[in-house]
Amino acid sequence: MTLAGILSYPVTNQAAVWQDLQRQYPQQSLQQLQSATLSIQVLQLPAQTAVVRGTLLLLPAAGRHPYSPDLFHTLQQLSAEGWQLVFMPAPDTTPPDVARQALLNTELRARWQLVQPLLQRPVVVIAQGEVAGTLNLALAEDKDTQFQLDALVSLGAYLSDPKLDNQLQQHIAQQNLPVLDLLTQADHPGAIRGAEQRQQLARTLQTPFYRQRALNDFSYHSSQQQWLLREISGWLKTSGF
């Protein structure tokens, strides 16, 4: 099976998909993680350097495969810069209503608890879409500090619930950790709509940790993937990681 064929598989076939990916990329390891109530498979790509800089935990949006060409496929190259990569499966899809946010939050926390033993500090999370929005909101509200991470890359973050999405716009620019907010014209309209508001808030508050970058491109292709790679790689270095 070709990579293109694999990437067309629905999320429900992920176990078989990831096994096919491991056959094509034997340098990666496929690991089953489970608790009494949850079982997931994660892909791990070790750092290709003698010294490991830390872990990049990649969280795709619901319905997206982590190796899809419009997401993280090119980011494998960061293993050559000393990063261990851990690819989390996309969350289960849920109805687009108010209950969706609560379900995503619960599922994200449960998966984080399972994957945490694999993570080597510093931990930088790269999250997409509504998963990125959920994580941003959870970080702002996390009283028990469950999410132990050192930096966050948000790719087109948004929330489907308008009230929560408005809160999200406030929180992204005020996180107490480095945040790289990346946007393209192919992202969800909700993510793009709040971009200027986040920039203005960061300027007003003189937020030292927030950086926003945007690419005016409507379609995912190799040049956009290279832009994504350069932005993340450069930001990691200038942020001291």
Side-chain angles (χ1 to χ4, degrees):
M1 179 179 292
T2 65
L3 180 60
I6 288 173
L7 298 177
S8 67
Y9 268 42
V11 174
T12 51
N13 292 329
Q14 252 179 19
V17 169
W18 286 33
Q19 289 169 8
D20 282 335
L21 282 172
Q22 190 179 25
R23 282 192 287 271
Q24 291 193 51
Y25 299 93
Q27 72 274 24
Q28 304 226 20
S29 63
L30 182 66
Q31 186 165 346
Q32 185 85 26
L33 304 177
Q34 60 185 38
S35 65
T37 58
L38 178 64
S39 178
I40 61 172
Q41 287 181 309
V42 298
L43 277 170
Q44 292 178 269
L45 179 61
Q48 307 299 310
T49 55
V51 177
V52 180
R53 292 171 61 184
T55 301
L56 299 180
L57 177 62
L58 296 96
L59 309 179
R64 297 293 185 91
H65 193 281
Y67 263 36
S68 65
D70 64 354
L71 190 54
F72 298 141
H73 188 253
T74 304
L75 298 186
Q76 293 178 81
Q77 297 177 39
L78 291 170
S79 65
E81 298 184 11
W83 290 96
Q84 170 202 15
L85 273 64
V86 178
F87 294 83
M88 184 91 81
D92 298 331
T93 55
T94 54
D97 54 23
V98 177
R100 178 183 180 86
Q101 177 58 39
L103 288 170
L104 281 173
N105 193 318
T106 300
E107 188 170 354
L108 182 59
R109 289 178 181 274
R111 291 177 178 222
W112 183 275
Q113 193 169 15
L114 278 182
V115 80
Q116 197 166 10
L118 303 179
L119 310 180
Q120 179 174 333
R121 304 290 292 268
V123 175
V124 179
V125 174
I126 304 176
Q128 183 195 34
E130 197 160 11
V131 174
T134 300
L135 180 57
N136 268 289
L137 204 59
L139 286 171
E141 300 173 345
D142 193 12
K143 306 304 182 184
D144 56 2
T145 62
Q146 175 185 352
F147 295 101
Q148 297 292 319
L149 65 150
D150 300 284
L152 174 63
V153 179
S154 285
L155 304 177
Y158 78 98
L159 292 173
S160 56
D161 179 78
K163 182 178 179 180
L164 292 176
D165 191 64
N166 186 56
Q167 295 177 27
L168 172 66
Q169 306 310 319
Q170 305 290 321
H171 289 312
I172 291 181
Q174 298 185 71
Q175 298 289 10
N176 194 29
L177 77 169
V179 173
L180 176 60
D181 186 8
L182 292 180
L183 299 159
T184 75
Q185 291 300 317
D187 290 324
H188 189 279
I192 301 169
R193 186 169 54 248
E196 186 175 349
Q197 178 185 351
R198 298 195 296 275
Q199 278 279 46
Q200 181 59 48
L201 182 62
R203 285 194 295 267
T204 300
L205 299 176
Q206 297 183 324
T207 307
F209 299 123
Y210 178 80
R211 181 182 179 188
Q212 184 185 116
R213 297 283 287 167
L215 178 67
N216 293 322
D217 200 332
F218 286 89
S219 61
Y220 287 105
H221 47 62
S222 59
S223 63
Q224 188 178 100
Q225 283 285 293
Q226 290 301 317
W227 171 81
L228 186 72
L229 177 65
R230 289 193 301 270
E231 288 290 343
I232 294 175
S233 176
W235 177 76
L236 288 169
K237 292 171 183 174
T238 57
S239 298
F241 294 106

